[in-house]
Amino acid sequence: MSSANDITPASGSIRDTSEECAASAVSLWQASLHGDRDAFQRLLNPHLEELLAAAGRDLRYHCAIGDIRQDEISAEELVGETLLRAWRDRHRRPHSLDIRPWLLGLQFRVLTRIVRQELLRRDLASVSLEAPAPAEPIYDDDESFWEWYQPDETLRWEDIVAVDATAGVEEPELFDRGVPGLSPLARQVLIFRHVHRFTVGEVASSLGLPSRRVSELWLEGHAVLVGTKRDDRGANSD
């Protein structure tokens, strides 16, 4: 029995508060779609800290593997670019995808585009001026790059592995450096799974991949990280 001084909220009040927050988010999103920038900013504010942390982690990774220079772009600038793109692409957000995975998936795409352009710039700088000009505009914004995949199947992490194998995989420092054998895409699947705790469907939609491909990338990446951690432990024990 609850005492008069018991301040634990009843389950009904928790549910009511949750429903009110959801209704408020829907209202703010609808206002954003109609051009209300203040409503859009209010929706994004709770996610800025996570976006900034993700930006810092990904920039450290791309600097470590030599894709970009350390002074090329800051975490704050990357988040700023992401928010600008989010406003521009707000009408493209899938109805079934929450704001948080949408923003983090968008930031991954923004950084991917920046890295690709930088690598292409370096390639062009090393090519002779007498070489034939490219047939297509080198920085043409391929709109299909910004399309969102809507998974047509429901797949859970439990369907991929019999036991939850997250233990020992989620240390952030593992994702800050280049890990031999770990592709950038498999790395991102691991981050979305173990750092941000996305569902398979959220990862699939964010990365524009079928759910089954996400499961393959997770298994591939997990095997690489397990081997890396084993090698690290062996090196430290010598």
Side-chain angles (χ1 to χ4, degrees):
M1 178 182 297
S2 300
S3 66
N5 295 325
D6 188 355
I7 60 173
T8 303
S11 59
S13 64
I14 295 176
R15 184 168 56 251
D16 291 344
T17 301
S18 176
E19 290 174 353
E20 289 174 5
C21 290
S24 175
V26 170
S27 176
L28 288 173
W29 182 251
Q30 290 302 317
S32 301
L33 292 178
H34 287 88
D36 189 335
R37 289 181 178 270
D38 289 337
F40 191 67
Q41 189 64 50
R42 288 172 61 189
L43 271 176
L44 269 51
N45 281 340
H47 307 292
L48 294 181
E49 186 175 344
E50 188 174 20
L51 283 171
L52 192 59
R57 179 191 310 113
D58 290 342
L59 288 173
R60 287 191 295 273
Y61 165 73
H62 283 289
C63 285
I65 65 175
D67 284 344
I68 54 177
R69 300 187 307 272
Q70 191 169 0
D71 61 349
E72 192 130 16
I73 183 173
S74 67
E76 292 80 6
E77 288 170 333
L78 176 55
V79 172
E81 291 292 329
T82 300
L83 299 185
L84 288 173
R85 187 78 206 194
W87 174 255
R88 174 180 170 183
D89 282 11
R90 64 193 188 282
H91 293 282
R92 289 182 171 181
R93 176 197 156 209
H95 296 298
S96 61
L97 190 63
D98 287 342
I99 292 288
R100 180 171 165 262
W102 177 64
L103 286 172
L104 285 160
L106 195 58
Q107 183 162 278
F108 169 75
R109 298 183 191 207
V110 168
L111 182 55
T112 297
R113 178 52 57 91
I114 290 172
V115 168
R116 286 179 181 176
Q117 290 181 347
E118 172 57 20
L119 294 177
L120 181 57
R121 185 194 65 78
R122 294 180 191 175
D123 288 344
L124 291 175
S126 65
V127 173
S128 167
L129 293 178
E130 297 179 357
E136 301 292 336
I138 58 175
Y139 291 143
D140 185 36
D141 193 2
D142 180 6
E143 288 302 309
S144 65
F145 179 79
W146 304 104
E147 293 298 332
W148 294 84
Y149 176 80
Q150 183 61 47
D152 56 2
E153 56 183 324
T154 301
L155 189 69
R156 302 170 303 164
W157 293 115
E158 294 87 341
D159 299 325
I160 301 174
V161 282
V163 243
D164 186 4
T166 61
V169 176
E170 57 197 8
E171 291 91 336
E173 65 271 12
L174 282 174
F175 300 121
D176 285 10
R177 57 187 172 98
V179 176
L182 183 64
S183 70
L185 198 53
R187 169 188 174 272
Q188 196 61 43
V189 168
L190 288 169
I191 288 175
F192 279 168
R193 166 68 179 105
H194 297 297
V195 176
H196 301 296
R197 301 293 180 178
F198 289 169
T199 66
V200 178
E202 288 172 336
V203 176
S205 184
S206 297
L207 297 180
L209 298 171
S211 298
R212 291 292 172 183
R213 179 57 180 150
V214 168
S215 70
E216 293 169 358
L217 287 165
W218 184 88
L219 290 169
E220 167 196 321
H222 182 264
V224 171
L225 284 192
V226 168
T228 299
K229 287 179 65 63
R230 183 173 57 246
D231 294 343
D232 288 347
R233 285 195 298 268
N236 292 333
S237 62
D238 292 341

